[in-house]
Amino acid sequence: MSQFAELILATFFAVLATANWWITWRPVWLRASIAGGLYLVFTLLLLRTSGMPAAPTFDSDIRIAFWQQGLISLWWLVGARLVVGILHLTLWSKRESSQAKLASDLIAGLIYITAVLAIVNFVFNLPVRALLATSGIIAIVLALALQNTLADVFAGIAVGIEHPYTVGDRIWVDGSIEGVIVQVNWRSIRVRTDANDIATIPNSLIAKSRVINRSKPSTRRDDSVQVSCESSARPDLVMELLRQAAMLTPKILTEPAASSALVRIGVRSNSYDIYFSVAHTDHLGSAKSTLLKEVLRQFHYHSIRPSSAGMISTPIGPMTASTGLMETLPPDMLLSDVSLFQDLSPKQRAELAKRMTRRRLEPTTTLVSQGGVQAILFIVASGVLEGSRSINGRSHVVGRLGPGDYFGEIGLLTGAPNAGTIMALTRCIVFELHKEDLEPLMTAEPSLAQAFEASVRRNQAFLARDAAAAVSAPPGPPAQFLAQIRAFFKA
């Protein structure tokens, strides 16, 4: 084969080797293998036409010599691109994006600079030392003009080596900037704040600031809230109620368990801290809001008044030594908070309250078993209970119940079997209302059946009590459900 034909063939494979990197072969190893094969054929043809790329032999014809110089220059550049591509596929493809971007850009730049210097030295036979000396002067001038930008670049390299964060991490930066990193580059990082703004922070500023990575070692976030109540309340009992309030907050983790502590003692009020953890920072705001509402609920049902500086303390209800909890609200006041009985008159609620049975539960006591038939309405006065359901042999928790919650109304009104299991997690006080207790009222006021039916449906429609609804069998159509109530009570 003539030299001219070999040069044409070498040019053809050089074009293929260059174009291969623009084609997205799948899988990635196939792309690298094809690139390596094309580059190997290109190298063998170049050795036949021009000799070693580091010591080439050019033809006496200036046109062919120029052609050879172009092919050898392309050989160095394609080789550099092949090395960078292989490093990217083998070393950087599975690494975190912020570190991989800085490291890969730096190493790739060095590889390409080496290839260019090799072309200048071996292909065009120019003195590299003189070029480096000239470029050094130019570099000094550029460094003085771009010192702020270069400070950001080198700070980015240092941060990339230390690797304190990566794209997707939530960080807090000195200066009250907090958000999720969306981009890391040579000059800066970009953070999407909770207000959905993009904050651009130079790397030189990051290197000098305090940075807290809220995603490492995990996304779990620990925090606390402070509440105050009147000083006449016993601290040990208040701390137990605060712990129960945390147990009733769905987004607070059970492990590590929430805790509380007395942090300030005053003449009129005491202050307590509640320490808790959530799975992610995004849950923190809603968890705090729900926790404070649960604290207010605990205080309400145990006759404790929240307080602040200057509030006059008032006496609270008596203590019950047997349960270790404060005395709960009277049964008639408890019934007034139950939406099922809000349509009753105060006299009817007082009469019904006299028929209620008070029951104390120790932790791990099972109150209701799935599948059992109990025509009883349970109203929680104190403590925390957990509802669970077993489906296909697997049990899962559906929610927790606290003071003021109730369950079993479907069974009370229709005699339907329990759709779940209820177990006490803490010491509890529960009031029971049996079918026999409600029957005289239903007989005297037949219209109450319709009021009860509307109340049950209103609760389920607005999902006011997720846990209680989840452990009750769903009612049928309105007419059928109302007929079941009347038939059950013979009203």
Side-chain angles (χ1 to χ4, degrees):
M1 184 182 297
S2 65
Q3 183 185 25
F4 185 76
E6 290 177 342
L7 285 173
I8 293 177
L9 193 59
T11 304
F12 174 72
F13 277 95
V15 173
L16 288 180
T18 304
N20 174 71
W21 291 104
W22 297 94
I23 302 174
T24 55
W25 298 100
R26 289 293 183 270
V28 291
W29 60 264
L30 179 61
R31 181 181 181 184
S33 301
I34 293 175
L38 293 173
Y39 187 71
L40 178 61
V41 176
F42 177 37
T43 302
L44 294 177
L45 291 171
L46 198 62
L47 290 174
R48 289 177 58 84
T49 58
S50 306
M52 293 290 296
T57 302
F58 298 117
D59 194 89
S60 56
D61 189 335
I62 189 172
R63 292 173 298 180
I64 295 180
F66 183 74
W67 192 353
Q68 290 173 323
Q69 285 178 331
L71 287 176
I72 295 175
S73 299
L74 192 59
W75 181 89
W76 283 103
L77 294 176
V78 172
R81 179 66 182 88
L82 178 63
V83 172
V84 171
I86 292 176
L87 288 176
H88 178 77
L89 294 176
T90 57
L91 299 181
W92 300 319
S93 59
K94 295 183 179 180
R95 297 177 67 181
E96 301 290 350
S97 54
S98 64
Q99 183 180 6
K101 182 176 177 62
L102 295 176
S104 62
D105 287 351
L106 180 63
I107 296 176
L110 293 175
I111 292 173
Y112 283 122
I113 290 174
T114 302
V116 171
L117 292 177
I119 292 172
V120 171
N121 186 60
F122 299 128
V123 179
F124 298 101
N125 199 25
L126 295 177
V128 177
R129 292 183 179 179
L131 180 63
L132 292 176
T134 305
S135 62
I137 298 174
I138 297 175
I140 293 174
V141 175
L142 291 176
L144 292 175
L146 303 173
Q147 53 183 335
N148 291 334
T149 302
L150 291 175
D152 292 335
V153 170
F154 285 106
I157 295 174
V159 170
I161 294 174
E162 188 178 353
H163 192 43
Y165 49 73
T166 184
V167 172
D169 286 353
R170 171 177 281 271
I171 65 170
W172 174 89
V173 183
D174 219 355
S176 301
I177 296 178
E178 181 171 349
V180 178
I181 299 176
V182 295
Q183 186 184 52
V184 177
N185 55 47
W186 283 90
R187 195 190 69 83
S188 63
I189 68 170
R190 294 186 177 183
V191 177
R192 186 179 67 249
T193 65
D194 294 334
N196 205 30
D197 299 322
I198 297 295
T200 301
I201 309 173
N203 288 327
S204 57
L205 180 61
I206 284 285
K208 299 175 184 178
S209 303
R210 292 183 301 154
V211 179
I212 298 177
N213 191 335
R214 302 201 186 279
S215 299
K216 300 289 178 65
S218 70
T219 59
R220 193 189 82 193
R221 181 78 179 273
D222 301 334
D223 210 328
S224 65
V225 295
Q226 187 172 106
V227 296
S228 299
C229 69
E230 49 197 2
S231 58
S232 55
R234 281 176 48 186
D236 57 332
L237 300 178
V238 174
M239 287 190 292
E240 172 62 18
L241 295 179
L242 297 180
R243 186 181 71 88
Q244 293 181 15
M247 294 174 65
L248 290 167
T249 304
K251 290 187 177 180
I252 290 182
L253 299 177
T254 56
E255 290 293 336
S259 61
S260 60
L262 176 64
V263 295
R264 189 180 66 83
I265 299 176
V267 177
R268 296 182 177 87
S269 65
N270 296 337
S271 296
Y272 301 83
D273 276 352
I274 310 174
Y275 305 97
F276 62 93
S277 301
V278 293
H280 197 276
T281 303
D282 294 343
H283 301 164
L284 194 57
S286 60
K288 283 185 175 181
S289 176
T290 305
L291 176 59
L292 291 175
K293 288 190 291 185
E294 292 295 341
V295 169
L296 289 177
R297 178 160 71 143
Q298 293 287 343
F299 285 177
H300 168 70
Y301 283 100
H302 293 87
S303 303
I304 300 176
R305 292 181 58 186
S307 63
S308 58
M311 174 176 284
I312 300 176
S313 179
T314 57
I316 60 174
M319 308 291 181
T320 56
S322 58
T323 62
L325 296 177
M326 294 182 179
E327 189 64 45
T328 60
L329 292 180
D332 57 336
M333 294 183 63
L334 198 61
L335 282 179
S336 66
D337 288 341
V338 176
S339 59
L340 192 63
F341 302 106
Q342 285 180 349
D343 294 330
L344 297 181
S345 65
K347 181 179 179 180
Q348 288 173 321
R349 281 199 295 266
E351 182 65 27
L352 202 58
K354 295 177 182 179
R355 301 174 181 272
M356 295 174 64
T357 304
R358 181 188 179 106
R359 182 173 176 182
R360 306 179 192 277
L361 303 175
E362 293 296 320
T364 71
T365 300
T366 299
L367 181 61
V368 169
S369 298
Q370 183 172 341
V373 178
Q374 293 170 296
I376 302 174
L377 177 70
F378 299 93
I379 304 175
V380 183
S382 177
V384 180
L385 298 99
E386 185 174 78
S388 61
R389 299 185 69 180
S390 180
I391 300 177
N392 297 327
R394 299 186 63 180
S395 178
H396 67 280
V397 176
V398 295
R400 290 180 176 178
L401 304 171
D405 288 328
Y406 62 95
F407 58 94
E409 68 271 28
I410 305 298
L412 172 70
L413 298 176
T414 65
N418 303 320
T421 298
I422 300 292
M423 183 183 70
L425 296 181
T426 65
R427 289 181 175 177
C428 302
I429 297 177
V430 177
F431 283 93
E432 298 181 355
L433 184 62
H434 294 252
K435 173 197 171 185
E436 295 76 14
D437 302 325
L438 188 60
E439 204 163 20
L441 186 62
M442 294 288 291
T443 303
E445 298 287 344
S447 61
L448 286 179
Q450 189 172 359
F452 287 147
E453 187 269 344
S455 178
V456 172
R457 290 195 172 278
R458 183 171 61 248
N459 288 341
Q460 294 192 350
F462 288 96
L463 298 178
R465 299 175 299 103
D466 295 339
V471 295
S472 299
Q480 178 183 348
F481 183 51
L482 183 59
Q484 287 178 335
I485 296 176
R486 288 174 171 169
F488 189 64
F489 283 91
K490 300 180 177 58

